[in-house]
Amino acid sequence: RTIYKNNYSGQGHIMELKDLREKLTSLDKELIRIISERQSIVHQIGEYKLQVGRATRDFERESAVINYVRQEAIEAGIEPDIAEEIITVLIRSSLTKQEKDRVEAEGKGNGRSVLVIGGAGRMGRWFVDFFNSQGFETFVADKNIQNDTHSYSDWREAGIDFDVIIVATPIEVSAGILSELSEKKPSGLIFDIGSLKTPLRDGLNALKDSDCMITSLHPMFGPETELLSGRHLIFVDVGNKEATDKAKELFESTMVKKLDMNIDDHDRLIAYVLGLSHALNIVFFTALSGSGEAAPKLAKLSSTTFDAQLLVSEAVASDSPELYFEIQKLNEYGIEPLDALCASASMLREIVMNDDQKSFVELMEKGKKYLDSRS
């Protein structure tokens, strides 16, 4: 305080600000050095875990570290939430590195070959990178690429002589590819990664009836995902348990959470998990865009709830409209959640129109009770 009082104006103040900024830069440099040193130690810990066969993630240790950091922050006069956020980012970065190292070290590839049909798409590229990291010889088939030694513009030109074939194309396209594959009868493991399964039922059944190693996967994460810890990967057994088990083995070195579902349960639940959530955000930004209110004005009046909803809606609006339409249209269970959404909006409108506070409170309490039941 004395410094700013004595040098509040003039050249002295300017020099003092310059000195303070130089000190800040020096501290930032030291922070980076410390983070680098921390990451080096984390790498050594990861190597040790790999050698002795210990799990990559230790939730008890993470909790202890976060609690310790929060306490240290309080004693240092720092907001504990800030300290927790920083250490959480560092932990997540460490886990990502350890998981990648483990995937590479325990790679299931050993020179085996994999064909990713639709490998130039966003999720297709994720699987290409994943299998490359495991030591597979990876081939890509996609209409948007040119032919070379490992790439084909038409998957039929690639043939079927692969240890693994992944179908990562739009749902309706995947249905046709699976049916064609059933006629060619590949000997390797085959799986799709579609968001819906019932539209693929005929092709999946045809492959099963042809005694092919067929199963079905649904990654519940996006193409930007690096760390699989805390993420879910759904395995839909379509009648060949051996194929499903082989697919699970490919992800043994990761920390992904594996879920088993049958086709009908999968699509019925996905109608709410994806269909309803997507629809809600589409309705939200459609209502905003049709309101006549300028987006910059709304941004200035933003609230915590509005900002959070806007962030999710922006992600939905920026994604593939064709994919989102498929998720809504092709799911045979998809209309029920949309009907529920319309009915709920009408109910809320009726309550507000009738000035019915009692019903409004009951609505909120019922919702809270349901959401609390998740844990």
Side-chain angles (χ1 to χ4, degrees):
R1 292 194 183 96
T2 304
I3 291 173
Y4 277 92
K5 183 177 180 181
N6 292 340
N7 299 293
Y8 188 77
S9 61
Q11 190 66 26
H13 173 67
I14 294 173
M15 291 302 295
E16 184 60 36
L17 181 61
K18 183 172 181 280
D19 290 342
L20 289 171
R21 284 176 172 170
E22 287 178 354
K23 287 180 180 179
L24 199 60
T25 299
S26 178
L27 284 172
D28 289 342
K29 185 176 180 180
E30 181 67 9
L31 276 173
I32 297 301
R33 187 196 66 76
I34 292 172
I35 290 172
S36 175
E37 184 178 347
R38 187 185 193 280
Q39 296 299 79
S40 176
I41 295 171
V42 163
H43 178 66
Q44 294 174 48
I45 292 173
E47 288 184 332
Y48 171 79
K49 288 178 179 178
L50 194 57
Q51 289 171 6
V52 301
R54 287 186 60 176
T56 300
R57 190 160 198 178
D58 185 338
F59 288 97
E60 185 177 349
R61 170 62 181 167
E62 283 180 40
S63 178
V65 169
I66 290 172
N67 289 335
Y68 171 77
V69 166
R70 287 184 66 89
Q71 186 58 43
E72 285 292 304
I74 292 171
E75 293 178 7
I78 300 171
E79 180 62 43
D81 287 348
I82 294 175
E84 180 177 344
E85 187 173 344
I86 292 170
I87 202 67
T88 300
V89 169
L90 291 175
I91 289 172
R92 190 164 187 81
S93 173
S94 301
L95 287 171
T96 301
K97 180 68 168 64
Q98 288 183 16
E99 185 177 64
K100 286 182 177 179
D101 288 344
R102 185 178 290 263
V103 167
E104 291 176 8
E106 298 180 357
K108 309 294 182 181
N110 298 322
R112 291 189 293 162
S113 61
V114 58
L115 174 66
V116 184
I117 303 175
R122 296 177 69 202
M123 280 308 297
R125 287 197 298 271
W126 188 94
F127 275 89
V128 168
D129 292 340
F130 178 76
F131 278 94
N132 278 334
S133 72
Q134 291 211 60
F136 280 84
E137 185 178 9
T138 308
F139 296 81
V140 174
D142 196 291
K143 65 179 183 180
N144 296 312
I145 59 177
Q146 299 295 319
N147 286 9
D148 60 34
T149 55
H150 282 75
S151 303
Y152 302 88
S153 57
D154 188 328
W155 67 270
R156 300 169 189 84
E157 298 175 8
I160 59 171
D161 189 19
F162 298 93
D163 295 289
V164 182
I165 296 177
I166 303 166
V167 181
T169 52
I171 297 167
E172 288 189 308
V173 176
S174 293
I177 292 173
L178 292 171
S179 293
E180 279 196 60
L181 283 172
S182 69
E183 299 171 3
K184 298 177 182 293
K185 300 183 179 181
S187 59
L189 174 66
I190 310 160
F191 63 83
D192 73 280
I193 60 167
S195 301
L196 298 175
K197 302 306 179 185
T198 50
L200 307 178
R201 196 195 301 268
D202 289 345
L204 293 169
N205 284 338
L207 282 160
K208 180 192 68 174
D209 293 341
S210 296
D211 295 321
C212 293
M213 292 288 291
I214 179 66
T215 190
S216 189
L217 275 61
H218 183 185
M220 297 297 287
F221 51 85
E224 72 289 342
T225 301
E226 290 186 309
L227 177 65
L228 289 179
S229 177
R231 306 291 187 173
H232 293 88
L233 180 55
I234 299 173
F235 292 82
V236 179
D237 191 331
V238 294
N240 190 322
K241 185 177 183 301
E242 183 184 358
T244 303
D245 289 342
K246 283 183 176 293
K248 288 180 178 180
E249 286 176 9
L250 296 171
F251 296 88
E252 277 303 313
S253 53
T254 74
M255 294 179 283
V256 75
K257 294 182 179 179
K258 305 181 188 72
L259 300 178
D260 293 298
M261 287 188 186
N262 62 53
I263 282 185
D264 291 304
D265 284 346
H266 174 275
D267 279 20
R268 191 184 73 256
L269 294 173
I270 288 300
Y272 286 91
V273 173
L274 294 184
L276 178 60
S277 60
H278 291 170
L280 183 62
N281 285 287
I282 292 168
V283 168
F284 178 74
F285 65 64
T286 300
L288 286 180
S289 64
S291 68
E293 299 292 346
K297 286 185 179 180
L298 293 175
K300 289 179 182 179
L301 298 174
S302 64
S303 68
T304 303
T305 304
F306 180 81
D307 287 347
Q309 186 67 54
L310 199 62
L311 190 64
V312 179
S313 295
E314 284 176 339
V316 171
S318 300
D319 216 325
S320 167
E322 291 78 15
L323 171 62
Y324 278 49
F325 181 73
E326 280 192 330
I327 291 172
Q328 298 291 341
K329 176 62 179 176
L330 298 181
N331 192 341
E332 61 185 54
Y333 300 94
I335 294 300
E336 182 180 328
L338 295 181
D339 287 342
L341 178 62
C342 292
S344 298
S346 296
M347 183 190 304
L348 178 60
R349 184 181 186 279
E350 189 73 15
I351 288 171
V352 173
M353 287 288 291
N354 292 332
D355 194 19
D356 188 352
Q357 181 177 341
K358 181 175 180 293
S359 295
F360 188 91
V361 171
E362 288 175 354
L363 199 69
M364 295 281 289
E365 290 176 344
K366 182 180 179 181
K368 184 179 185 305
K369 183 177 179 182
Y370 172 80
L371 295 172
D372 287 345
S373 70
R374 290 180 301 165
S375 57

